[in-house]
Amino acid sequence: MNGSTIEHMMQQLNATTDLAERRRTAKEIIEEITTPEMVSKAVALAKNSLEDALKDRQTGELGTYLDVNDPEQVVALIEIVHQCLEAGGDLSGFITPVARLHHLDRKESAKTDTELYLQYRAAALLDALLAAEVPFPDEAVQLILAAGKRYVKDKATEQYICSIHWRLAESGVNISGAIPSLVTIFKNGETSELVHYSLLALWAAVRQGYFDTRIPDSDQSYQVWLKHLISNSTYKLKKKEEPHQLGIIGCLIETVRTYPEYKALAAEYLEQCKIREPKRPTTDFQHDLKQYFDLCRE
């Protein structure tokens, strides 16, 4: 396939309203994104197509789009762009538009299945861009942080959003506004992946000191959520086969080291949950748990 052929196929993808034809065309384009020349051509064509698809679309109070004219078309374009990223393409021009798509500014219950899937694909691409250490413009970061306080219906999308917040926190972005949502997601534990990524984001927030941030229009800081983080984490350690026990105990150790004033409370929760101190630790978890007991006694 040459540049003119892929251009023709992109025109077909944008013009058709037949779902099967659009999916087939997108798949054919993706399969041909193998050389640097084709990557560059596909990136340029997808950027122009996405700009046309989003032209004159209104944004809500979050700054994200309220809706798009043809969600299926935008999904196909995002899938093509994602393949371009994996092939080494420069996607810096896509970050802010995709951030405006990862949470359409309407109630989840009012969105179609295609719109929910669009949000999923957009969140997956944002997470992949962060994983690839592509620098995010401040505008895109602010859009993500604003949407991070909103309810997300699809759990796979929510998983990516937790991962996005973790990656942002590790890079030095203050994610304190998302702490209440992340604690709730961690507590509910609806999927193992949600527990994993919400825990990573909260652990990073502890390490970076984001719990010290003042809550807007309040005289309190997000430290009020530390009690919930400690209690929920300790409760999960009651499970004999807790798959995330190493991460949980690591986060707890980091928490009481960073906020020693919570050691007495942490010790209380250990007693309430009837978690026993290992006398002769053999596993990594048992060694960490004993260290946690020692810290709580200091």
Side-chain angles (χ1 to χ4, degrees), residues 28-43:
E28 290 173 357
I29 293 172
I30 288 170
E31 289 174 349
E32 295 299 328
I33 300 174
T34 55
T35 67
E37 179 187 358
M38 295 306 296
V39 171
S40 297
K41 187 67 176 179
V43 166

Side-chain angles (χ1 to χ4, degrees), residues 51 60 103 255:
E51 287 175 352
H103 187 87
T255 301

Side-chain angles (χ1 to χ4, degrees), residues 1-15 25 29 41 45:
M1 183 184 289
N2 56 37
S4 60
T5 304
I6 196 172
E7 185 172 358
H8 175 68
M9 295 185 71
M10 191 71 78
Q11 290 172 350
Q12 281 185 312
L13 183 146
N14 294 331
T25 304
I29 293 172
K41 187 67 176 179
L45 291 170

